[in-house]
């Protein structure tokens, strides 16, 4: 198994995704929120790029659709949820279809549709994501980053996943990028929450009173679900 990493969504080259299993990573907070929604019974997440597309889809879906996501980390007008994973409770999302749009995460998912398979990763489902990579030949750890720049939290999850992969699959061949991410993860793992609270993204969440999201998104291996893109017609539809 060959494993590589990209550190921002702008580095995706669709033609190079053919035959690859793409693991989508947006720790703060899109992929963590999607995992939370599925954990609480959400049936499907439709990943759309713009709020306008989301609102149009909601009109088609009616009561079974709920709208979630953010711009500038905040809930959008007319939406049911923002992008805090803690909002997506059983009472609110069980059996619903979530129409979801975020600044980076859902755009990355839309860019990954040329991969052979696309999986959704967070710290909360990391071990299960790695378990589902058995027999894959080419794996790409695709970090969303933030508006065209590197995000430490995404690279740390890629490092953690790379470490788990290297321990589980003895035939794995990690790129230099993955090996560096492991080194960084090992260096910072003892105080990831404290470190992320000081990054621009973490600080931005704290300013909005959302600092609890950081701790939540960094909890490891709380669930065994692995959401994946099942249908790609019009929009990527993510299911369990
Ligand atoms: C994104 O997709 O850019 C993020 O999930 C932003 C956020 O923290 O809400």
């Amino acid at each position: 198994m060959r494993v590589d990493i990209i550190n921002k969504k702008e580095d995706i080259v669709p033609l190079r995704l053919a035959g690859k299993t793409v693991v989508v990573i947006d720790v703060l907070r899109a992929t963590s929120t999607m995992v939370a929604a599925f954990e609480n019974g959400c049936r499907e997440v439709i990943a759309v790029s713009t709020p306008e597309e989301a609102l149009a889809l909601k009109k088609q879906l009616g009561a079974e659709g709920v709208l979630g996501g953010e711009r500038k980390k905040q809930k959008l007008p007319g939406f049911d949820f923002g992008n805090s994973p803690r909002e997506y409770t059983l009472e609110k999302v069980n059996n619903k279809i979530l129409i979801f749009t975020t600044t980076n995460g859902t755009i990355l998912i839309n860019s990954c549709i040329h991969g052979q398979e696309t999986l959704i990763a967070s710290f909360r489902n990391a071990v299960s994501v790695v378990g589902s990579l058995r027999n894959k030949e080419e794996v790409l750890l695709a970090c969303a980053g933030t508006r065209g720049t590197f995000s430490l939290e995404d690279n740390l999850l890629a490092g953690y996943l790379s470490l788990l992969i290297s321990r589980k699959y003895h035939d794995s061949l990690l790129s230099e990028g993955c090996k560096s991410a492991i080194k960084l993860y090992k260096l910072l793992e003892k105080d990831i929450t404290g470190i992320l609270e000081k990054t621009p993204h973490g600080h931005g969440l704290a300013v909005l009173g959302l600092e609890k999201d950081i701790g939540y998104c960094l909890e490891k291996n709380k669930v065994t679900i692995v959401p994946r893109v099942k249908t790609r017609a019009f929009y990527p539809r993510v299911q369990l």
Side-chain angles (χ1 to χ4, degrees):
M1 177 194 301
R2 287 180 179 283
V3 189
D4 201 0
I5 177 175
I6 55 146
N7 277 307
K8 52 188 192 319
K9 65 181 185 312
E10 289 75 8
D11 292 346
I12 286 279
V13 180
L15 284 176
R16 293 212 191 127
L17 295 180
K20 290 194 176 144
T21 299
V22 185
V23 177
V24 178
I25 297 173
D26 186 359
V27 174
L28 296 177
R29 296 163 293 170
T31 56
S32 305
T33 297
M34 290 171 74
V35 170
F38 282 111
E39 198 179 332
N40 286 310
C42 172
R43 223 162 76 208
E44 180 173 87
V45 176
I46 307 180
V48 305
S49 299
T50 67
E52 294 71 28
E53 288 169 291
L55 290 162
L57 256 182
K58 163 72 185 160
K59 276 199 185 136
Q60 288 174 30
L61 289 178
E64 65 176 349
V66 287
L67 284 166
E70 58 70 43
R71 286 299 179 273
K72 298 187 178 161
K73 303 180 183 59
Q74 285 168 293
K75 185 166 141 179
L76 288 150
F79 274 48
D80 303 290
F81 307 96
N83 193 21
S84 171
R86 295 174 300 124
E87 290 176 68
Y88 291 75
T89 57
L90 185 68
E91 304 76 61
K92 293 186 184 156
V93 296
N94 190 30
N95 213 23
K96 296 284 186 191
I97 297 177
L98 170 63
I99 308 156
F100 194 49
T101 180
T102 68
T103 312
N104 300 286
T106 58
I107 297 189
L108 174 59
I109 294 171
N110 275 274
S111 307
C112 291
I113 54 169
H114 298 290
Q116 191 173 51
E117 211 179 346
T118 308
L119 313 180
I120 306 298
S122 69
F123 276 101
R124 296 179 67 84
N125 69 343
V127 160
S128 299
V129 168
V130 169
S132 64
L133 296 177
R134 183 171 297 285
N135 297 328
K136 306 294 179 200
E137 284 178 11
E138 298 267 353
V139 174
L140 179 67
L141 305 176
C143 299
T146 304
R147 295 178 182 272
T149 59
F150 176 93
S151 281
L152 180 58
E153 66 274 10
D154 293 342
N155 188 266
L156 289 172
L157 176 55
Y160 179 51
L161 292 169
S162 300
L163 183 63
L164 295 174
I165 290 169
S166 68
R167 286 182 182 154
K168 191 171 176 75
Y169 304 113
H170 297 297
D171 66 334
S172 57
L173 287 171
L174 303 184
S175 69
E176 288 299 299
C178 293
K179 288 181 189 164
S180 308
I182 293 180
K183 290 207 167 93
L184 192 59
Y185 171 76
K186 283 185 173 167
L187 201 66
L188 303 184
E189 88 176 297
K190 291 211 172 68
D191 185 27
I192 294 187
T193 310
I195 289 161
L196 290 186
E197 279 168 358
K198 296 189 192 88
T199 61
H201 203 145
H203 178 70
L205 289 172
V207 167
L208 295 168
L210 295 165
E211 61 276 14
K212 282 198 181 141
D213 285 358
I214 301 174
Y216 179 96
C217 293
L218 295 177
E219 286 177 348
K220 277 187 212 149
N221 304 315
K222 293 284 175 190
V223 294
T224 55
I225 52 178
V226 182
R228 57 189 78 218
V229 175
K230 289 276 172 73
T231 317
R232 290 144 209 263
F234 300 108
Y235 299 106
R237 288 172 171 253
V238 183
Q239 294 167 2
L240 291 182

